[in-house]
Amino acid sequence: MSDNKKKDGYIMQAGILAAASIICRIIGLLYKSPLTAIIGDEGNGYYATAYTFYTIILLVSSYSIPSAIAKVLAQRLALKEYRNAQRIFKCAIIYVMVVGGLASLVLFVCAPYLVMGYSVTVLRFFAPTIFFYGLLGVLRGYFQAHRTMMQTSVSQIMEQILNAVVSMGAAYFLIQVALASGKDASTQAMYGAIGSALGTGVGVLVALFFMFGVYIMNRKMIQRRISRDRTQTEDSYKEIFRLITSVVTPFILSTCIYNLTTSVNQKIYLDMMVTFKEMSVTLASTSYGVLASKAVTISNIPIAIASAMSSAIIPTIASTYAQGAWKQTKKKVASAVKVTMLISIPAAVGIGVLARALVLALFPQLESLELASMLLAGLSVTVIFYGLSTLTNAVLQGIGKVNVPVTNAAVALVLQTAVLVSVLWYTDLGVYSVMIATMVYSFLMCILNGISLRKHLEYKQEMDKTFARPLFASVIMGGVAFGVYEGITYLLELFMDSMYFVNLIALAVAVIIAVPVYFILVIKLKAVKEADLKGLPKGHLLTKAARKMRLL
């Protein structure tokens, strides 16, 4: 946790965290299919029902802890108030132990009132995880405040790997126990769902042990800095708890509203389609499931990059802003937005033109292929909007305007809900209405956050090199990717009968060609400079490659 960081090292740290996030999401995608094969659709239903309420309680109690703690600690570290920073850390531990403990207890006791049948037992197995996740969040936030994401990244990958392995292993073992005991099919499914819930808990627990071990290894250095601290004023524990509460609460509200959008859209869509459009509950639920479990799942993968950049930028922005360095703060915001858009824009275009290929590769159920592909193509633009709004949320929180993203999210939610109800009522677009509402919400968040940044930070967004040139390069890249995919598909279909493997090979070749095409174009169009490349993860390799290709 050295203080000798490069000025824009947060971009490097964001790259590390983004890579970890994408790896975790890919692992999550890969183990879902075999897990479903083990526990069956019934077991998956029990698990999904319980997981929904577990997620809600987690969001309210612990989910925003890393970012909130990172912000508060970063401000003290920037002023070299190491003793106060350590007091905040200790108070944060107490805070999450109390809040997380209460949340776990509420979830365990109230499980019968939240879910029904066999899902009650599954939800109760989720309850302890909330307590452990809060402690894990404080430790992750502690290291993020020191502008090092490696520990968090490693712990995330460990958590997801253990989650996948234990979920499948425990589910299989418990189902075998249920079989040997002569339990009926529904009880076997419940046992399988419990095994999957245990996997989630074990993953969090192992990640917690890892982060605690890293903290212990750094304890001597931490104590050495505290002993050298010559700060005259010492924050009282009462003031610290008030500070933590005042920062954590808006973070939680913002996260809740962000995630509440999905619940609101689901509720309105199902109610209106069944009540006013006379669609069966099964058909309405199935079509919404295609949107939520396939199209949204794929479109969320590149958004992990913006989420990682947000986690990395909060302590950096909080630090420079606390020191009164407005010009440096705005420069860091511009750099973060540019890097995020350099990746988000081509990702959106790539997902848009290769939507069908991606769905077929990851979810090869032919009966829903066309619907999922069209929904994914439409949602591809939200990769850009959510990427930008997620980042600007973090900037506003970093400069202390923690209530502004909450207000913006609430306004966007109301407006997108009005759009959703109108489109469902006056058209027959069905589940495409939810897709449109999602696009509207993400776009409104970009606009509202942009206005807020200009008001509170006097930040004016550069448009040409940040948006226009990467978009132009991405459109050409998209055309090349689509042409290559179609061409390879046509050739392979002459020799191969398996549509799945033909698609997989053609998709891989299209992506492999598209990436260097975009890389060459953004450099030739002068959207990025050598300094921009060097600031990226493995930037020296990118710069070396560009020089060998005589692009620089």
Side-chain angles (χ1 to χ4, degrees):
M1 296 189 299
S2 171
D3 291 329
N4 300 322
K5 301 284 182 186
K6 292 180 182 179
K7 283 186 178 180
D8 292 320
Y10 71 93
I11 295 179
M12 186 76 70
Q13 298 301 323
I16 294 169
L17 197 57
S21 299
I22 291 171
I23 290 170
C24 289
R25 295 191 185 211
I26 291 171
I27 293 171
L29 280 173
L30 293 177
Y31 91 88
K32 276 185 179 179
S33 182
L35 178 63
T36 303
I38 293 170
I39 67 177
D41 288 333
E42 187 177 356
N44 202 37
Y46 297 145
Y47 174 83
T49 302
Y51 188 81
T52 298
F53 285 94
Y54 157 75
T55 304
I56 292 170
I57 301 297
L58 184 68
L59 286 171
V60 172
S61 62
S62 306
Y63 189 79
S64 301
I65 290 295
S67 296
I69 296 304
K71 177 193 179 300
V72 175
L73 283 172
Q75 290 175 329
R76 294 297 184 273
L77 293 171
L79 301 174
K80 300 190 185 302
E81 296 180 8
Y82 300 118
R83 188 176 293 106
N84 283 329
Q86 195 65 13
R87 289 168 71 87
I88 290 171
F89 174 66
K90 290 176 181 178
C91 289
I93 292 289
I94 296 170
Y95 174 87
V96 297
M97 287 180 71
V98 174
V99 174
L102 288 173
S104 296
L105 186 62
V106 167
L107 193 64
F108 187 88
V109 173
C110 297
Y113 305 101
L114 298 173
V115 295
M116 297 181 293
Y118 290 111
S119 294
V120 172
T121 306
V122 181
L123 184 56
R124 281 177 166 162
F125 272 88
F126 271 119
T129 306
I130 291 175
F131 175 78
F132 295 122
Y133 190 92
L135 294 171
L136 175 61
V138 172
L139 286 165
R140 283 174 172 170
Y142 183 81
F143 285 100
Q144 287 173 21
H146 288 82
R147 305 186 205 179
T148 171
M149 304 295 164
M150 183 59 74
Q151 296 87 349
T152 295
S153 300
V154 173
S155 72
Q156 285 181 344
I157 294 172
M158 287 176 65
E159 178 188 344
Q160 191 66 359
I161 290 173
L162 265 294
N163 184 6
V165 172
V166 175
S167 289
M168 291 186 289
Y172 179 80
F173 174 75
L174 290 175
I175 287 175
Q176 296 307 307
V177 170
L179 273 170
S181 304
K183 305 290 186 182
D184 59 60
S186 292
T187 305
Q188 291 173 31
M190 180 193 73
Y191 273 47
I194 288 171
S196 188
L198 286 173
T200 303
V202 170
V204 170
L205 197 57
V206 170
L208 174 60
F209 285 141
F210 170 78
M211 292 299 293
F212 183 70
V214 173
Y215 175 78
I216 293 298
M217 289 171 62
N218 286 275
R219 191 167 55 178
K220 286 185 179 179
M221 185 272 291
I222 294 167
Q223 292 299 327
R224 192 162 53 248
R225 289 200 311 185
I226 291 172
S227 65
R228 294 173 182 170
D229 185 1
R230 296 293 178 264
T231 305
Q232 298 297 318
T233 57
E234 189 172 80
D235 296 338
S236 69
Y237 286 117
K238 185 179 180 180
E239 290 174 342
I240 291 171
F241 278 117
R242 189 184 295 119
L243 174 65
I244 290 173
T245 304
S246 66
V247 172
V248 169
T249 302
F251 271 74
I252 289 172
L253 288 173
S254 181
T255 304
C256 283
I257 294 173
Y258 237 62
N259 289 272
L260 186 63
T261 309
T262 303
S263 302
V264 169
N265 289 348
Q266 178 183 354
K267 176 68 174 172
I268 292 173
Y269 171 73
L270 293 176
D271 284 355
M272 289 192 69
M273 292 305 291
V274 172
T275 306
F276 299 110
K277 299 294 183 177
E278 298 181 351
M279 181 182 283
S280 70
V281 175
T282 302
L283 187 57
S285 300
T286 301
S287 60
Y288 186 85
V290 171
L291 170 71
S293 64
K294 296 183 178 182
V296 172
T297 298
I298 296 173
S299 67
N300 277 345
I301 293 174
I303 296 173
I305 296 165
S307 299
M309 182 66 76
S310 301
S311 297
I313 202 174
I314 285 178
T316 301
I317 293 297
S319 175
T320 55
Y321 193 78
Q323 294 171 339
W326 276 45
K327 190 173 182 180
Q328 189 180 0
T329 300
K330 287 189 277 189
K331 185 178 178 182
K332 288 182 181 295
V333 173
S335 178
V337 171
K338 186 174 184 179
V339 170
T340 302
M341 289 300 101
L342 279 171
I343 300 171
S344 296
I345 292 173
V349 173
I351 288 173
V353 299
L354 297 174
R356 191 178 186 279
L358 288 166
V359 173
L360 181 58
L362 296 171
F363 303 102
Q365 291 81 30
L366 296 180
E367 62 274 9
S368 61
L369 176 61
E370 296 306 322
L371 175 61
S373 301
M374 292 295 290
L375 289 169
L376 178 59
L379 286 175
S380 62
V381 70
T382 65
V383 171
I384 300 172
F385 295 151
Y386 272 129
L388 188 56
S389 62
T390 299
L391 183 62
T392 50
N393 259 3
V395 174
L396 288 166
Q397 290 165 344
I399 63 173
K401 305 301 177 183
V402 289
N403 292 316
V404 173
V406 179
T407 304
N408 291 346
V411 171
L413 177 60
V414 171
L415 293 175
Q416 75 96 43
T417 302
V419 170
L420 176 59
V421 172
S422 300
V423 176
L424 281 171
W425 182 263
Y426 291 108
T427 73
D428 293 318
L429 289 174
V431 74
Y432 292 104
S433 304
V434 183
M435 177 194 77
I436 293 169
T438 304
M439 294 164 65
V440 169
Y441 177 81
S442 59
F443 176 71
L444 287 172
M445 282 300 299
C446 283
I447 299 300
L448 293 173
N449 281 358
I451 293 170
S452 299
L453 272 182
R454 189 154 191 170
K455 176 182 177 182
H456 297 293
L457 192 61
E458 297 178 7
Y459 174 76
K460 186 176 180 181
Q461 180 60 57
E462 188 276 332
M463 301 298 291
D464 181 26
K465 293 183 179 179
T466 304
F467 295 100
R469 298 188 195 191
L471 179 60
F472 181 71
S474 297
V475 170
I476 297 174
M477 176 212 72
V480 171
F482 184 77
V484 169
Y485 174 80
E486 291 295 327
I488 297 294
T489 299
Y490 176 78
L491 291 173
L492 290 177
E493 283 178 343
L494 299 175
F495 307 101
M496 298 175 67
D497 295 327
S498 174
M499 180 174 69
Y500 180 77
F501 286 110
V502 167
N503 173 74
L504 209 58
I505 294 168
L507 177 61
V509 174
V511 171
I512 289 170
I513 292 175
V515 170
V517 166
Y518 176 73
F519 179 68
I520 292 169
L521 286 171
V522 289
I523 294 176
K524 282 294 186 182
L525 291 170
K526 296 184 174 11
V528 293
K529 299 177 181 177
E530 186 173 342
D532 297 322
L533 288 177
K534 286 181 177 178
L536 296 171
K538 300 295 181 184
H540 64 287
L541 294 178
L542 293 174
T543 305
K544 189 176 180 181
R547 286 193 175 282
K548 281 190 175 183
M549 297 167 71
R550 297 187 179 180
L551 298 173
L552 293 174

